[in-house]
Amino acid sequence: EDRRVGSEVFDKQTLETLYKLANQGYLQILHGVISTGKEANVFKGVDDDGNYVAVKIYRVATSDFKKMQDYITADRRFINIGKSRRDVIFAWTRKEFSNLKRAEESGILVPHPLVFDRNVLVMDFLGDEHGAFPQLRLAEYEDAQAVYDEILEDIRILWRKAKLVHGDLSEYNILYGKGH
């Protein structure tokens, strides 16, 4: 399993990108996988200052290229991207970085995006020394209605202030922990 994941994620260009980000101080250590998805894996890392970071690496070889391309071409911010698989995935990474910044600037609690390069996005780690905050579906909370209301308010803010709609918002894509 680990070898399969490694070969899907760590191609030569991705390794070069990680090395470049390490030289810039964004990544000193890359620990294990926090989560795996259809298009990317998220790893726990440590930067040069000893802070935990989340490192999201989009898989170039096995991502759903067609779906990504459809989303990118519909977004006027990404008009002149190339048509190759790598071009689309690199634009997708840039789009996620941009969307995180817009969401954060509107007051939504999201991981602070630190840097992106090619198919790698580095952001603040949402968790502690024990691990990442749990997905909403696995989290423990006292007042489900209050959590629901908070999520609805965040959706309103995301739309009204950031002019964004989250196309894949679910209990799998919401982390719940300290500060929510």
Side-chain angles (χ1 to χ4, degrees):
E1 176 73 15
D2 288 344
R3 283 198 177 142
R4 185 181 62 76
V5 168
S7 65
E8 287 179 358
V9 175
F10 298 112
D11 61 15
K12 183 177 187 269
Q13 199 167 26
T14 300
L15 290 172
E16 289 170 354
T17 302
L18 291 169
Y19 182 72
K20 178 181 172 186
L21 293 170
N23 284 334
Q24 294 172 346
Y26 291 105
L27 185 63
Q28 184 182 85
I29 299 169
L30 189 63
H31 292 292
V33 175
I34 297 170
S35 69
T36 58
K38 293 178 289 241
E39 281 88 25
N41 290 11
V42 181
F43 296 84
K44 183 178 180 181
V46 179
D47 68 12
D48 278 1
D49 295 325
N51 301 309
Y52 291 118
V53 293
V55 181
K56 188 168 190 175
I57 303 174
Y58 285 95
R59 293 189 296 275
V60 176
T62 60
S63 291
D64 188 346
F65 169 73
K66 181 65 177 143
K67 184 172 113 180
M68 287 177 160
Q69 190 174 34
D70 290 345
Y71 279 112
I72 292 288
T73 55
D75 191 328
R76 59 183 162 77
R77 295 175 293 166
F78 301 92
I79 291 173
N80 293 318
I81 64 162
K83 300 294 182 203
S84 76
R85 175 179 292 274
R86 281 194 184 281
D87 291 337
V88 170
I89 291 169
F90 295 174
W92 186 268
T93 307
R94 185 173 80 226
K95 179 177 179 162
E96 181 163 358
F97 180 87
S98 171
N99 288 348
L100 282 170
K101 283 182 70 164
R102 287 172 61 183
E104 181 181 53
E105 289 166 359
S106 72
I108 305 292
L109 291 174
V110 296
H112 172 68
L114 298 168
V115 68
F116 73 94
D117 192 345
R118 298 179 184 170
N119 61 317
V120 178
L121 171 62
V122 181
M123 57 196 134
D124 280 349
F125 178 74
L126 298 182
D128 56 29
E129 64 277 356
H130 304 295
F133 290 150
Q135 295 170 334
L136 184 62
R137 69 187 182 93
L138 302 173
E140 295 180 18
Y141 38 86
E142 293 179 21
D143 187 350
Q145 184 65 49
V147 173
Y148 177 75
D149 292 342
E150 186 178 344
I151 292 168
L152 284 181
E153 182 59 22
D154 284 347
I155 291 169
R156 281 187 202 93
I157 292 169
L158 193 63
W159 169 247
R160 289 182 180 152
K161 290 187 177 178
K163 305 295 186 217
L164 291 172
V165 173
H166 194 301
D168 193 18
L169 191 63
S170 72
E171 69 275 18
Y172 292 89
N173 291 328
I174 299 172
L175 300 182
Y176 190 85
K178 296 174 193 164
H180 314 300

